[in-house]
Amino acid sequence: MRERRQRVERALEESLEPVHLEIEDQSDRHAGHAGARSGGSHYRITIVSERFGGRSRLERHRMLYDALGSLMEVEIHALAIRAFTPTEWTEQRS
Amino acid sequence: MSEISQEVLDQIDEAVKQTPILLFMKGTPTFPQCGFSARTIQVLESYGVPFRTVDVLANPLVREGVKEYASWPTVPQLYVGGEFVGGCDIVCEMHESGELAPVLEQVAESAQGEAGSPEPSDASG
């Protein structure tokens, strides 16, 4: 499902202009469970963007959901999100 | 998605406002049907506070209704004191950073004062 992943990547890049973006497809870990049968993918997203500055966790997640729009309804079954500002991301890794 | 009736949204609203700690999840605390729900339950149980759960898989209207109610496209969803806290990632991050404890404890104390019995129970939806 490389195409689907690219759509996710493009949607996030266009609206959130991340300086770092990792999209890990974990769909195979969930094969066979009820949600996997509906065909949606499982992703784990790590995203670093200046846009998250001054935003709460809830707001950051909503920004991602808004960016993904209709992709959330059908193509994405599950999404784990880690959203950082560049400063937080540096601290995270130190 | 716009076919969710006002009745369902009202029911969700009532449950959210009347339950100090409420988790909309897939499955039950004993048999969670999704890894995210399972992890959220683990976190909540680690605090020993009373909470209630609603299994959204038991009712497709509720499953879609909670998404519209919170404008949040995924389940689980945690509400504390009538406020939407977030999904699994946010609950887990708050747990790890120590932010979740004061939020839960404050509400749990007032709930015990009212109800007396801190037994966790399943809402039937």
Side-chain angles (χ1 to χ4, degrees):
Chain A
M1 281 295 170
R2 190 176 298 164
E3 237 176 76
R4 176 179 285 172
R5 201 189 128 130
Q6 280 171 352
R7 279 200 292 273
V8 169
E9 194 173 338
R10 215 175 305 137
L12 293 176
E13 277 174 352
E14 276 171 16
S15 47
L16 297 171
E17 297 178 323
V19 293
H20 180 78
L21 176 62
E22 285 171 43
I23 302 174
E24 206 183 320
D25 191 340
Q26 301 187 319
S27 305
D28 52 350
R29 289 197 203 172
H30 304 268
H33 106 329
R37 281 198 293 277
S38 69
S41 297
H42 287 63
Y43 294 113
R44 179 187 163 88
I45 294 177
T46 304
I47 181 167
V48 183
S49 169
E50 292 282 5
R51 301 273 183 94
F52 296 137
R55 304 296 192 110
S56 69
R57 290 193 182 89
L58 268 184
E59 289 171 325
R60 293 178 189 192
H61 282 232
R62 283 197 202 283
M63 287 162 79
L64 259 86
Y65 292 141
D66 286 347
L68 294 169
S70 62
L71 288 170
M72 280 307 297
E73 283 168 28
V74 185
E75 313 214 25
I76 301 175
H77 169 69
L79 190 59
I81 298 171
R82 298 196 308 153
F84 305 101
T85 62
T87 313
E88 291 165 352
W89 179 239
T90 311
E91 284 167 8
Q92 176 82 15
R93 291 186 302 171
S94 63
Chain B
M1 295 293 167
S2 57
E3 291 163 25
I4 305 298
S5 74
Q6 194 55 45
E7 196 185 338
V8 172
L9 294 175
D10 287 346
Q11 281 172 10
I12 293 168
D13 188 55
E14 203 182 321
V16 163
K17 288 184 174 149
Q18 292 185 351
T19 317
I21 302 175
L22 178 64
L23 182 72
F24 292 101
M25 65 178 291
K26 293 180 178 173
T28 64
T30 319
F31 297 106
Q33 299 296 312
C34 139
F36 296 102
S37 289
R39 212 171 324 141
T40 309
I41 284 290
Q42 265 181 5
V43 167
L44 285 179
E45 285 182 339
S46 73
Y47 290 89
V49 295
F51 64 90
R52 292 181 60 159
T53 64
V54 172
D55 179 4
V56 302
L57 298 180
N59 185 338
L61 291 175
V62 173
R63 184 177 180 175
E64 290 310 314
V66 295
K67 296 179 184 175
E68 182 164 321
Y69 179 78
S71 307
W72 192 264
T74 57
V75 175
Q77 297 180 356
L78 177 67
Y79 285 86
V80 177
E83 296 283 322
F84 181 50
V85 175
C88 175
D89 296 318
I90 290 179
V91 170
C92 290
E93 279 180 26
M94 289 177 74
H95 172 60
E96 283 159 21
S97 70
E99 290 162 81
L100 189 58
V103 173
L104 292 179
E105 279 157 14
Q106 193 183 348
V107 176
E109 273 166 30
S110 59
Q112 281 190 8
E114 283 166 28
S117 166
E119 279 293 296
S121 60
D122 290 320
S124 57

